[in-house]
Amino acid sequence: MPASVVVGTQWGDEGKGKATDYLADRMDLVVRYQGGNNAGHTILAEGHTLKLQLIPSGILYPHITSVIADGVVVDPRVLLEEMDGLAAVGVDPSRLVVSGNCHMIMPYHLELEKVTERFLGKNALGTTKRGIGPAYADKAARIGIRIQDLFDEKIFREKLDVALREKNLVLTRVYGRLPLTVGLIVDDYMRYAERLRSHIADTSKLMHDALRVGKNVLLEGAQGTMLDLDKGTYPFVTSSNPVTGYALASAGIGPREVERVIGITKAYVTRVGAGPFPTEDHGPGGERLGMLGQEFGTVTGRKRRCGWFDAVILRYASRVNGLTELFVTKLDVLSGFPTLKVCTAYRAEGETFEDVPPHQSLFHAAEPVYEELEGWDEDLTAARSIQDLPSAARAYLDRLAELGGVPISVVSVGPGREQSLPASA
Ligand code: IMP
C-alpha cells in the first residue's frame, strides 16, 4: 500500500526530515508538496553536512525517486545550486523529477518581499525573505510564471514582460527601487531551462503509475499545521498549505490512496518569526530548551522561540490532518527538567477552550492551562527501544498520546537513525 503523508503538527521545525529518513527504506517515491526554499533540512551525505531546502532528502537513497510536486514554488537558481552541491559530494541528482506546473520564484519576488517586510515595520511577519509569499500571490493572481514556461522562450518573455510592467512600477514608484530588466532575467532563466529540462515530468501521472503497481509514496510537507495559510495563525503563517488536504491537491492523487498520516510532533514547541504562541517560555526554561535543542533556523539562522508542549494544537492538528499516528521527536532534550509543563487548554476572556479558539483575538489572548508531569534526569540518547526509557519519560509520552487522541508510532531521542525508537518494538 500506497501513500503516506508526513505533516508537521506545530509551527514547523518538528523534525520531518527525521521521519522521512526513518521511513525511506520502505519508500519508492518521496514527494515534496508545498513551500519552497523557506524550509530546510540538514543531511549527512558521504561524511558531508548538506543543507537542502527544496530537494526531498530521499535523494540520498539510490532506490528512491525524489519528486517536487505542483504546489511547491521553485527558485530555479537555488534548485540548481542544491543539485550541484549534491553532485559535488557524490550524490547523483539525476533521479530528481520536478513538475512543470510548479510556479517559479522570480527576482522581483525577492526584491518585493524585502521592501514590503520593511514597509510593514512592527507589523512585519518575519518571513524568510525568499520570495515565497509574493510567488504564491502571483500564482493566485494568475500572473505567475511556471517552470513549463521556460521551454517556450517567446511565451516566457511575454509573461515576464506583463509581470514586470506592474512590478517595476511598484518597485520604482512605491518603494523607490531600481527597475529590473527583462533581458537579464531571460538570459539567466534560459540557462536554468537547459539544465532543468531533463528533470521535468508529469509528476501526478508518475505517482499514479507508481501507486498502481504497488509502490510506496511518501508525501512530505514543509513547515507545519499552525503555519498553514488557511488552518494556521493567519496572518502569521506561510503562503501555502502544509496540511494533508493540500498534499493531495499538489500531488494530484485521490484521498483513497493515503493509508497513513504521520504527525511529526516535537516533545516541546518552537516557533520562528512573529505571531501568537501561547506556551512560549520567555524565562530560563525556554532558554534551556533552545540551547539543548539547538533551536536555530536552518534557513535563516534565527533563534527559535521555545515553549512547552501544547496538546490543544496537537488535537487541532490531529483533526485537520486526519492523523493516524504520531512521530515524536527530540524527547532527549527534556532530560534534566524537574517537572514538565503540558498545556491542556487555554483561558481567554474568562472562558476555557479545549480547542483552538475560533477567533484570532482569542488565540492571541490565550493563556495556557498547564498540568505538570514528573521529569527525569537520565540521558535518553543511548536508548534503543521504548523500554529503555525511564518510566517518567514513558508516562510523558503516554500523556501526550492521550491528550492528542492519537497513538505514537515512533519516538526519537537524537539525530541518528538508530535513535528512532518504534513504539511497537
Ligand atoms: P515565509 O514562509 O518565508 O513567507 O514566512 C512566513 C512565516 O513562516 C514566518 O514566520 C517564517 O518564520 C515561517 N516559516 C517559514 N518556513 C518555516 C520553516 O521551515 N520553519 C519554521 N518557520 C517557517
Side-chain angles (χ1 to χ4, degrees):
M1 185 82 186
S4 306
V5 182
V6 162
V7 60
T9 61
Q10 301 163 346
W11 279 279
D13 308 314
E14 298 92 352
K16 292 173 289 293
K18 186 93 219 277
T20 306
D21 184 59
Y22 178 78
L23 297 164
D25 282 347
R26 278 169 275 161
M27 295 299 154
D28 300 292
L29 273 81
V30 175
V31 183
R32 169 84 182 271
Y33 61 82
Q34 44 72 228
N37 57 317
N38 48 350
H41 42 272
T42 307
I43 52 166
L44 203 62
E46 316 284 336
H48 299 268
T49 302
L50 288 181
K51 287 191 193 311
L52 292 181
Q53 292 164 8
L54 275 167
I55 301 179
S57 40
I59 197 78
L60 297 182
Y61 302 87
H63 69 280
I64 289 179
T65 302
S66 288
V67 178
I68 296 182
D70 300 26
V72 176
V73 285
V74 174
D75 185 329
R77 187 186 57 79
V78 175
L79 181 61
L80 290 167
E81 265 173 27
E82 281 189 20
M83 286 161 64
D84 289 343
L86 286 167
V89 298
V91 179
D92 175 16
S94 66
R95 283 166 296 104
L96 175 70
V97 184
V98 183
S99 169
N101 291 343
C102 291
H103 280 249
M104 286 189 291
I105 296 181
M106 305 297 292
Y108 44 84
H109 293 137
L110 295 162
E111 202 60 21
L112 280 167
E113 186 159 44
K114 227 187 293 167
V115 287
T116 48
E117 273 282 275
R118 211 177 295 149
F119 181 76
L120 286 170
K122 71 175 181 38
N123 297 321
L125 301 172
T127 73
T128 58
K129 298 202 181 72
R130 300 297 157 100
I132 307 291
Y136 277 115
D138 279 0
K139 174 178 177 177
R142 288 149 298 168
I143 52 165
I145 303 182
R146 296 190 290 175
I147 288 188
Q148 57 179 275
D149 297 324
L150 289 173
F151 307 112
D152 183 333
E153 187 177 336
K154 186 164 164 283
I155 292 279
F156 178 75
R157 203 176 265 276
E158 268 172 33
K159 290 193 174 179
L160 183 60
D161 206 35
V162 170
L164 269 187
R165 246 182 273 156
E166 189 246 2
K167 305 296 178 196
N168 274 342
L169 278 180
V170 176
L171 281 171
T172 56
R173 304 239 178 123
V174 180
Y175 295 108
R177 311 284 294 184
L178 292 171
L180 300 177
T181 37
V182 174
L184 290 179
I185 300 178
V186 171
D187 290 350
D188 283 343
Y189 277 65
M190 286 303 115
R191 272 203 310 278
Y192 304 150
E194 274 326 296
R195 294 202 49 206
L196 285 175
R197 192 182 289 275
S198 62
H199 294 273
I200 308 304
D202 178 344
T203 53
S204 164
K205 174 93 169 60
L206 180 77
M207 274 176 260
H208 183 85
D209 292 349
L211 288 164
R212 291 290 70 78
V213 295
K215 293 198 169 167
N216 292 307
V217 174
L218 185 69
L219 302 166
E220 183 186 54
Q223 290 90 39
T225 303
M226 301 310 282
L227 285 173
D228 186 277
L229 182 59
D230 293 278
K231 295 286 172 281
T233 47
Y234 189 90
F236 301 100
V237 292
T238 192
S239 299
S240 64
N241 295 95
V243 296
T244 309
Y246 191 68
L248 303 176
S250 169
I253 59 171
R256 289 196 307 180
E257 310 283 5
V258 177
E259 185 184 51
R260 299 170 70 185
V261 182
I262 306 161
I264 314 305
T265 303
K266 192 147 59 180
Y268 51 97
V269 180
T270 61
R271 169 162 208 172
V272 202
F277 177 5
T279 64
E280 182 169 14
D281 186 327
H282 298 277
E287 274 296 313
R288 184 185 158 96
L289 289 171
M291 192 185 59
L292 295 178
Q294 287 294 299
E295 298 294 352
F296 298 93
T298 330
V299 174
T300 59
R302 285 181 291 176
K303 203 170 167 180
R304 296 177 183 145
R305 299 156 63 191
C306 297
W308 301 100
F309 193 84
D310 186 339
V312 181
I313 66 169
L314 175 60
R315 274 196 293 274
Y316 177 73
S318 167
R319 168 157 65 85
V320 303
N321 291 298
L323 299 183
T324 59
E325 63 206 88
L326 298 179
F327 188 120
V328 178
T329 59
K330 289 193 151 182
L331 186 68
D332 53 302
V333 173
L334 296 183
S335 292
F337 284 96
T339 57
L340 298 164
K341 291 198 267 191
V342 172
C343 169
T344 56
Y346 303 142
R347 291 280 301 162
E349 296 182 3
E351 259 189 88
T352 302
F353 294 88
E354 291 196 348
D355 277 307
V356 168
H359 193 284
Q360 62 171 357
S361 302
L362 291 167
F363 197 85
H364 278 262
E367 291 289 336
V369 177
Y370 284 122
E371 67 179 36
E372 299 224 350
L373 302 185
E374 191 191 334
W376 59 88
D377 281 327
E378 293 89 333
D379 173 12
L380 307 187
T381 54
R384 292 296 172 267
S385 83
I386 298 275
Q387 284 68 38
D388 293 341
L389 298 175
S391 60
R394 277 185 278 141
Y396 183 78
L397 292 169
D398 288 346
R399 188 66 181 136
L400 301 196
E402 184 180 27
L403 287 167
V406 196
I408 294 173
S409 60
V410 186
V411 177
S412 95
V413 291
R417 256 190 161 193
E418 67 293 352
Q419 291 168 305
S420 289
L421 321 176
S424 55

